[in-house]
């Protein structure tokens, strides 16, 4: 064969591979309102940065006449490229080929990029749109899934792992995304469930649509499985690019310093007036967070799930920080099972990837009641406690108002190795709120009083005057500094600068036993 012919053959093969399941299947994919695997990779990565690996691999199955149905790439595109100039690995399931189902070869392609990402120390992003295990391959597909799961686990905390679910993810296809750090879903075309509506109907007799059972909004609000939800795939891939900006390449690096034009000593007078004088009135903690971070930029994670706690990424003088903030606007910022688990997982991610934690605290305590106790709030609250305690990254706290009881201990207190705790003059740090405390310790006096309500009010005032302030705690060194709210940004940035060289360790062990 002549050199020219050989070059032509390569080009022909490449063109064929790029068509995946063929033009008709691509048209059908578009009709379903979905992009193709290649269009997705193009949107995700920097322009012209994608380099494909294993383009010509084909499956090896001979069951059900499969030997005559081979497609270059076998239903997945794998390779590497850059996001904001930094290397990332990517795999993108191609629904136009056997419904993006997972064959042994598909699994081997995924494992290859997983291993390269870990060896090189670069994030890996999986784009999922798949009918699950390739039915014609039986147990080979199952083994394939399992080998992917193993790498998800081994490289957890080594390189950031991100999943886009932009089509069906049923059965085994859900567990790889579930093991990764962040899941992105899109409304109307993403579905994640272990068993689909038909099996649900047979087993539990429930009538439920695919969207109700595993759509993006369900996972964003009820299960908390998805971290980011978008209306269309274009915004979803923009979202992943934004997230990657905040992350380091791997656990041995720090996130890249972002250019910052927001003055370090910017004062925001409004912060002095943001906490209402009436301690029972709500305010939006996100307003506080936005006023303090660089240019008011905050990428909120799990926005619609357990909104009584707010988590997300921002920068302070260009350095990535992970924010954990009680939200007085929802359930008065109380800690319950869901908010505890939400925060615990985020704290552990930040700690694994050298991202300092900033905690904004206004918490009346843990949620009482049978619902929470039956649900295991003790175990779930302990997860958050565990996460803060084991974290060795710089840890700063700003107490804006309430810091009561167990919730005070849990929310990055000094005794959990919090580095600096700042309190605003509106802070109330005590074992419990004035109402509950007065009813317990002054119960006899109240019961025997001529006017019990007046006595209770008097005792509440007495307790509030004594404890509902930051100065008792500041007098014990539990708070490092009481600050004027308008200086919070400057104080946090200064502390972060100082803590750049912080070194802290945990005792040697195989691994801890977080109360799962
Ligand atoms: C082989 C599959 C397939 C699969 C879909 N296809 N899923 N081929 N193995 N798992 C093929 C279809 O035959 C079809 O081929 C093409 O992909 C497109 O599928 P459609 O059904 O036409 O598409 P759509 O209507 O959009 O429905 C998508 C779907 C549905 C919801 C994903 O295909 C479906 O329910 N698939 C099966 C899902 C499932 O039960 N998977 C196995 C899970 S068990 P043609 O040639 O007609 O275009 C599992 C165990 C792993 O994953 C456990 C590990 C822990």
């Amino acid at each position: 064969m002549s050199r020219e012919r050989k070059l032509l053959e390569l080009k022909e093969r490449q063109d064929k591979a790029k068509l995946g399941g063929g033009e008709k299947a691509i048209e059908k994919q578009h009709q379903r309102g979905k992009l193709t695997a290649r269009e997705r990779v193009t949107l995700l990565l920097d322009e012209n940065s994608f380099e494909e690996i294993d383009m010509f691999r084909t499956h090896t199955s001979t069951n059900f006449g499969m030997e005559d149905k081979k497609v270059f790439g076998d239903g997945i595109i794998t390779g590497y490229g850059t996001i904001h100039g930094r290397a990332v690995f990517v795999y993108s399931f191609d629904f136009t080929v056997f419904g993006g189902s997972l064959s042994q070869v598909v699994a081997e392609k995924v494992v290859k990029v997983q291993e390269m990402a870990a060896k090189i120390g670069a994030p890996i992003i999986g784009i999922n749109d798949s009918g699950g295990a390739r039915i014609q391959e039986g147990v080979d597909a199952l083994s394939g899934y399992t080998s992917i799961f193993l790498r998800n686990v081994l490289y957890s905390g080594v390189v950031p792992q991100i999943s886009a679910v932009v089509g069906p993810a049923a059965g085994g296809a859900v567990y790889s995304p579930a093991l990764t750090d962040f899941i992105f879903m899109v409304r109307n075309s993403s579905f994640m469930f272990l068993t689909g509506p038909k099996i649900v109907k047979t087993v539990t007799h429930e009538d439920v649509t695919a969207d109700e059972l595993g759509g993006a909004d369900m996972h964003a609000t009820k299960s908390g499985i998805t971290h980011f939800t978008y209306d269309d795939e274009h915004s979803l891939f923009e979202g992943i690019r934004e997230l990657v900006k905040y992350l380091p390449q791997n656990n041995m690096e720090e996130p890249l310093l972002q250019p910052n034009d927001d003055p370090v000593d910017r004062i925001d007078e409004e912060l002095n007036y943001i906490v209402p004088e009436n301690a029972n009135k709500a305010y939006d903690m996100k307003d506080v967070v936005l006023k303090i971070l660089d240019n008011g930029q905050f990428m909120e994670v799990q926005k619609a799930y357990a909104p009584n706690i707010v988590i997300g990424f921002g920068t302070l003088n260009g350095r990535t920080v992970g924010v954990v903030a009680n939200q007085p606007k929802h359930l008065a910022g109380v800690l319950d099972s869901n908010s505890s688990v939400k925060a615990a997982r985020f704290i552990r991610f930040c700690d694994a990837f050298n991202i300092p934690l900033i905690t904004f605290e206004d918490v009346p305590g843990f949620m009482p009641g049978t619902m929470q106790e039956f649900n295991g709030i003790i175990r779930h609250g302990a997860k958050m406690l565990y996460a803060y305690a084991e974290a060795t990254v710089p840890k700063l706290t700003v107490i804006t108002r309430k810091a009561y009881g167990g919730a005070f201990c849990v929310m990055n207190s000094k005794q959990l190795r919090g580095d600096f705790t700042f309190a605003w003059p509106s802070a109330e740090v005590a074992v419990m709120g004035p109402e509950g405390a007065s009813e317990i310790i002054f119960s006899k006096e109240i019961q025997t009083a001529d006017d019990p309500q007046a006595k209770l009010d008097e005792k509440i005032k007495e307790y509030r005057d004594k404890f509902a302030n930051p100065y008792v705690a500041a007098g014990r060194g539990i708070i490092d500094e009481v600050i004027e709210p308008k200086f919070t940004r400057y104080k946090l940035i200064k502390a972060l600068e100082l803590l750049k060289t912080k070194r802290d360790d945990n005792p040697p062990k195989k691994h801890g036993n977080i109360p799962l």
Side-chain angles (χ1 to χ4, degrees), residues 28 32 95 98-99 101 130-136 142 145 149 168 170-173:
K28 213 168 160 193
R32 287 186 176 100
F95 195 81
F98 307 116
S101 56
S130 163
R134 186 163 307 161
I135 295 164
Q136 295 89 333
L142 296 187
Y145 264 128
F149 301 155

